[in-house]
Every structure is written in C-alpha cells, then in structure tokens.
Amino acid sequence: MELRQLQYFVKVARKEHVTQAAEELHVAQSAVSRQIHQLEEELGVPLFVQKGRNLQLTSVGKLFLGRAEAILTELERAVMEVREFLDPEAGEIRIGFPHSLGIYLLPTVVAGFRQTHPNVKFRLRQGTYNSLIRDVVNGELDLAFISPFPERHEHVTGELLLQEELYAIVPEGHVLAEYQTIRLEQLKDDSFVMFSEEYSLRNIVLEACAKAGFVPRIGFEGEETDTIRGLVAAGVGVSLLPEMALTEISQLQPAKVRVIDPLVTRSIGLIQRKGEKLPLVAEVFHSFLMNFFDPYKK
C-alpha cells in the first residue's frame, strides 16, 4: 500500500467524484482511477459504489476513510514537527475561525504575532461552530477561535477569551435609528434578517428575543455578517450583530444601537484537541494569544 493511494482515496471520498479529485490533485483522471482500483484489489473489497455521476463510499469505505485520514494527519504532523525542529520560526499554524471573527479579530492577532515571528505561516479555515470542533477533533486544525465557547466538551479543551456585546442594527431611516439605547422588545414588530440555522449567532438572537417576550419574524436569512449588515442597510429588516462585525465601514451602513434590555452577549474562546500537545509553533502562538487577551479577562 502506497501513500499516494491513501491520498487519492481520501480526496475522492471527500469530493465524491474522480474528475474533481483529479483536478484538485493536478493529476490525470486515469491515474486516480488506477490508484483507487489497485487499493481496492489490495484490500480485497470495493471502497466505492457508483451513484449517478458521483461515487459513494461503501460501509467498508467509510471505515477505511477514518483510518486513512488519521494516518495522513499524523504524517503531516510529523513533517511539521521535523520542520519546526530544524527551524521553529518557519513553522505553520493551522487555525480555524467563524466568519464574524475574520473581519477584525483574526487579522489583528495574526498581524501582531507576525511582528515578532515574521516567517511563521498560517493555514486558515473558516467554519461553523460544529465544523470547527470537528476539524480540531480530527486533527485538521491545531487551534480554533469559536463562539460560543464550549465550557464542557468530551474531545476539546480551551480558554474563554472574552465576552462580546451584540448591537441592534436598523436601516438609517428606521424610527429607532437615532436612539442611543433600546429595549429589544421595541423591534418585535420588525422583520429580522437572521443567520442560517447552522450558525451559533442565530440561537443567541433567538434566545435574546425569547427573553424579551417575542418570537422574531424572520424575513431573510444569510450566512455572513457582511450580507446581513448590507441587507439591513438596504432597508429589508433589522438584526443583531457582534460589535466586531460592525467595525468595517462600507457604502451601505446600517445604524448601530445598543440593546440594554436584555443585554445580549456572546462568549469567544480558543479550543484545541483534549489531551494532545500542540506543535511547538502553535504553542508559541497560543502563549501570545493568552497574553493578548489577558486585559479582556479583568
């Protein structure tokens, strides 16, 4: 069994398509098909079945995928450790983050770290709450910023970094646009622009509205803070967004109003896989983050 066979198998399993896998691997489709066929012959079982134009893993294929991914992850980790041993300042940090932290927080901490570690590389992955935890557990990420911070989890551990306030955003012509503070119930008759169901900010907003005594009427849904902010600015509804998501100035700018009843916040934390030592360069970055966020904890 060759390493290339495992790499090709994992790529085809993820794409569910030989042609797309071959394109990402920058090899001929025939080469991918040949390696998969040889792997199946060596194992003595089919790993895929044809389903329409796509390939679907067999039950044995699903079992083998988990092991193959673990092998490739450990191999990648070993290569990184060797490189870090030769030159810790030339290592790579794999870090995940939700979109709402990619506007201000992530660029700020990366830029700050690179001032003293200019040769360190970052491999960044944006994701939802569940996908970030999954990628940390699977070893595909060293660290991940996450919100809300999971106080208890079977497979990940970490630190709470800060609590961030959410603000109401309304169109410039809205009756509450000039207010300094509002009660959330004052928006109960408005149409809300909400995050999709897989995003944790949606639940935070729904819970806040429940505390205020109403169920929001959802007019539009989006997957990024920029989209939601733009739709509100265009006059299609109102919403609640984290303060950091409102730092960027754009042509379509909603009015930002503080909500004092109830006060709406979200927790932001940093997670890593439980019971596993971080790579050296990631450990250095972790220490940097702890010092960076220390003032927010006081």
Side-chain angles (χ1 to χ4, degrees):
M1 190 176 299
E2 299 179 2
L3 176 62
R4 184 188 309 170
Q5 291 174 339
L6 295 181
Q7 292 171 328
Y8 287 10
F9 163 70
V10 169
K11 183 63 71 173
V12 173
R14 288 174 176 172
K15 304 303 293 185
E16 297 185 340
H17 203 284
V18 173
T19 302
Q20 293 177 12
E23 289 174 353
E24 288 201 9
L25 290 164
H26 304 292
V27 297
Q29 180 179 336
S30 58
V32 176
S33 297
R34 184 169 58 253
Q35 292 294 336
I36 296 297
H37 179 67
Q38 290 175 357
L39 181 60
E40 289 179 324
E41 281 194 335
E42 184 171 346
L43 292 172
V45 292
L47 298 172
F48 295 98
V49 292
Q50 194 77 37
K51 188 174 182 181
R53 295 184 177 181
N54 290 0
L55 291 177
Q56 190 174 65
L57 285 168
T58 62
S59 57
V60 175
K62 292 177 182 178
L63 177 66
F64 189 69
L65 176 63
R67 298 296 187 184
E69 287 180 323
I71 290 169
L72 294 177
T73 297
E74 285 303 312
L75 179 61
E76 183 180 9
R77 201 173 190 85
V79 171
M80 288 175 58
E81 287 176 354
V82 170
R83 289 175 177 169
E84 288 176 6
F85 179 80
L86 296 173
D87 184 5
E89 289 299 316
E92 180 181 73
I93 300 168
R94 304 172 304 166
I95 187 163
F97 63 98
H99 175 266
S100 59
L101 298 184
I103 299 169
Y104 173 77
L105 186 143
L106 185 72
T108 300
V109 296
V110 168
F113 184 74
R114 285 177 59 84
Q115 288 182 3
T116 52
H117 302 81
N119 296 321
V120 171
K121 298 179 179 63
F122 284 86
R123 189 187 302 184
L124 306 175
R125 179 177 295 183
Q126 181 179 308
T128 62
Y129 179 85
N130 289 327
S131 70
L132 290 171
I133 290 181
R134 181 196 64 219
D135 291 344
V136 169
V137 172
N138 291 342
E140 296 181 22
L141 294 172
D142 301 313
L143 297 164
F145 290 108
I146 196 163
S147 177
F149 175 65
E151 294 288 348
R152 296 179 182 176
H153 195 280
E154 183 180 0
H155 301 296
V156 300
T157 185
E159 296 82 20
L160 176 65
L161 300 177
L162 59 92
Q163 293 280 351
E164 182 187 21
E165 194 169 338
L166 271 67
Y167 282 74
I169 55 171
V170 300
E172 286 290 352
H174 194 278
V175 65
L176 302 176
E178 300 299 324
Y179 281 50
Q180 295 296 313
T181 61
I182 62 169
R183 301 184 313 279
L184 187 56
E185 68 173 356
Q186 292 176 264
L187 297 176
K188 66 181 180 180
D189 295 326
D190 287 274
S191 175
F192 273 70
V193 183
M194 286 285 225
F195 280 92
S196 302
E197 290 186 356
E198 63 267 28
Y199 289 86
S200 58
L201 280 171
R202 179 190 181 99
N203 288 333
I204 293 174
V205 175
L206 289 175
E207 289 173 7
C209 291
K211 286 182 181 179
F214 71 97
V215 176
R217 177 166 51 90
I218 302 174
F220 294 87
E221 293 185 353
E223 296 186 350
E224 295 189 345
T225 53
D226 291 345
T227 302
I228 290 175
R229 187 177 61 181
L231 288 170
V232 171
V236 300
V238 301
S239 190
L240 270 68
L241 284 182
E243 187 174 13
M244 277 188 282
L246 300 171
T247 56
E248 187 180 12
I249 303 300
S250 61
Q251 287 184 327
L252 280 176
Q253 194 72 17
K256 165 184 164 184
V257 186
R258 188 162 186 249
V259 179
I260 58 171
D261 183 22
L263 184 65
V264 188
T265 64
R266 67 165 176 173
S267 59
I268 298 173
L270 184 72
I271 59 171
Q272 66 186 78
R273 189 156 58 168
K274 187 177 288 186
E276 185 165 311
K277 185 179 179 181
L278 288 170
L280 178 59
V281 66
E283 186 63 52
V284 174
F285 183 58
H286 181 276
S287 298
F288 167 83
L289 291 175
M290 293 304 100
N291 290 328
F292 182 92
F293 286 101
D294 187 60
Y296 294 93
K297 301 175 185 178
K298 297 176 181 178

